[in-house]
Amino acid sequence: MLLTVVGNSGSFPGPDAPASCYLLCGEDADGRTWRIVLDMGNGTLGALQRYIELDTIDAVMLSHLHPDHCVDLGGLHVAVKWDPRGWKGGRIPLFGPSQLPTYLNQLHLLPPEHSMDTEFEFHVWHPHEPVSVGPFTVTPHPVNHTCPEPYALRVEYRGPGGTEVLTYSGDTDACDELVAAARDADVFLCEAAYQEGREDHLRGIHLTGRRAGETAAAAGARRLLLTHLPEWNSPETVLAEAAAVYYGALAVTRVAHRYDVADPTDRSVDALAPVRSGD
């Protein structure tokens, strides 16, 4: 399974990165490549087209309905519905919270009775109920964030080398469900929007680097990729917070970078954890 970081900026796009969007690609047993997109925040639709044709998307899966994680679905709807050349793909399966159709209608100022199901195939997450798209099986875990129905997504990929697991935190504070979602994951793609000593007193919203590291350690995750850092965060500070409590492979995501979930290489997860005194 290959992870491409389309956007990783927290809460709003930064000058060099769109908001949250992650592309997962993997082949099935017949050699067909499947592509699923996790979240589509501000600025991500344009950037996503650098990596794939939009009509090759097999599914879009949303962690929650805050704009920095889903607002560019409005543009994707336009691309599907109004391309004068004709849309080459079928309806795009969308997985998300129950209010997703209402959210999209409001985004386009459409009446409540309007439906986008000619462009999208809507599916509602149900806690702990897995769904499968090609070689990917995704299980939503309810987490702790300031909106209805926030989820972490545990993605299991059945590939030629066996099963690989990537867990995406979405937005959340520390909670037992997040640990369960990340249990023994090959890669834990985890938000770290807050910093210790600055927002660590705020609870029920976001993780600090330290709380992300504690969660990864409790879950036994093999690698931790920190993401969703707002423009004002110091990557070095958040990384150091996590490194104090988590001793596996550790890095901050880089936008436009591709990571091999199963096998760290020079083009994948930065396999070396930060050097600690005494190591």
Side-chain angles (χ1 to χ4, degrees):
M1 172 171 30
L2 293 179
L3 160 69
T4 301
V5 178
V6 180
N8 63 355
S9 185
S11 301
F12 59 90
D16 301 312
S20 296
C21 184
Y22 308 94
L23 172 65
L24 297 180
C25 299
E27 290 187 354
D28 63 16
D30 298 320
R32 194 265 217 203
T33 298
W34 293 75
R35 301 169 179 88
I36 63 174
V37 178
L38 307 182
D39 284 349
M40 288 192 68
N42 322 49
T44 61
L45 183 62
L48 182 61
Q49 294 172 78
R50 299 171 189 162
Y51 311 107
I52 60 170
E53 298 291 335
L54 295 180
D55 57 17
T56 66
I57 296 173
D58 291 296
V60 178
M61 299 183 168
L62 301 181
S63 62
H64 64 293
L65 296 183
H66 278 159
D68 60 317
H69 292 260
C70 68
V71 74
D72 269 25
L73 278 176
L76 183 60
H77 167 258
V78 172
V80 176
K81 186 176 181 65
W82 297 110
D83 189 337
R85 301 165 297 181
W87 180 252
K88 297 177 183 178
R91 291 189 302 162
I92 298 177
L94 294 187
F95 296 81
S98 60
Q99 297 179 20
L100 177 55
T102 301
Y103 177 91
L104 286 175
N105 276 3
Q106 292 175 342
L107 192 63
H108 285 272
L109 298 178
L110 297 171
E113 63 273 14
H114 182 273
S115 175
M116 294 186 183
D117 60 9
T118 54
E119 292 78 46
F120 296 138
E121 181 184 297
F122 290 99
H123 301 270
V124 175
W125 291 128
H126 297 285
H128 311 122
E129 291 189 12
V131 300
S132 293
V133 176
F136 296 99
T137 298
V138 182
T139 304
H141 289 253
V143 288
N144 188 12
H145 191 52
T146 53
C147 68
E149 303 174 59
Y151 291 100
L153 303 177
R154 180 180 177 89
V155 183
E156 299 181 24
Y157 165 68
R158 302 174 305 279
T163 299
E164 304 166 21
V165 178
L166 176 142
T167 295
Y168 171 45
S169 69
D171 281 2
T172 181
D173 198 352
C175 59
D176 291 342
E177 283 280 2
L178 185 60
V179 175
R183 181 73 62 198
D184 298 324
D186 295 297
V187 169
F188 182 24
L189 178 63
C190 187
E191 70 117 294
Y194 284 170
Q195 287 185 187
E196 294 289 319
R198 189 182 70 191
E199 298 113 345
D200 55 298
H201 63 287
L202 299 173
R203 301 310 302 245
I205 309 174
H206 290 295
L207 295 160
T208 62
R210 182 181 183 87
R211 295 205 291 255
E214 289 170 342
T215 300
R222 288 179 57 204
R223 308 180 191 95
L224 174 60
L225 277 178
L226 299 171
T227 195
H228 196 269
L229 275 63
E231 183 59 26
W232 49 70
N233 268 27
S234 162
E236 293 77 17
T237 297
V238 174
L239 192 66
E241 289 177 7
V245 293
Y246 174 74
Y247 300 99
L250 174 64
V252 173
T253 57
R254 289 188 281 159
V255 73
H257 195 61
R258 187 169 66 169
Y259 300 85
D260 186 325
V261 171
D263 299 305
T265 68
D266 59 358
R267 66 180 174 88
S268 64
V269 176
D270 298 328
L272 294 178
V275 175
R276 298 172 180 80
S277 59
D279 284 1

